[in-house]
Amino acid sequence: YAAIAGRLEVGASIGVAHYLQGDTADTLLSRADAAMYVAKNAGKNRVAFLRDGQWVVRSGEVTPPPPSHSPA
């Protein structure tokens, strides 16, 4: 990861799978794994999931909150 202006930049590709009636652990994890690869192939910082048989990919970029200053 590249340190930029003293900050560490971290990215992630995330695949989401919803439990469907009749799923086994293997089928659920297989869908999550496939979704992760769809997210990775779509670019950095993406989240992917299946909706009505179609892949949905969203940007996973989040603006971090400003640093908190705890009282001394």
Side-chain angles (χ1 to χ4, degrees):
Y1 302 107
I4 299 173
R7 291 188 6 214
L8 184 63
E9 191 172 294
V10 179
S13 298
I14 300 173
V16 177
H18 300 271
Y19 174 81
L20 301 175
Q21 189 168 356
D23 269 346
T24 65
D26 287 338
T27 58
L28 182 61
L29 289 173
S30 179
R31 267 198 323 281
D33 189 53
M36 182 195 63
Y37 282 101
V38 169
K40 288 175 76 73
N41 289 331
K44 293 182 178 183
N45 299 320
R46 303 283 185 224
V47 176
F49 56 93
L50 270 174
R51 180 187 292 153
D52 300 325
Q54 299 273 349
W55 287 112
V56 177
V57 179
R58 300 277 191 250
S59 170
E61 292 187 27
V62 176
T63 303
S68 62
H69 298 287
S70 54

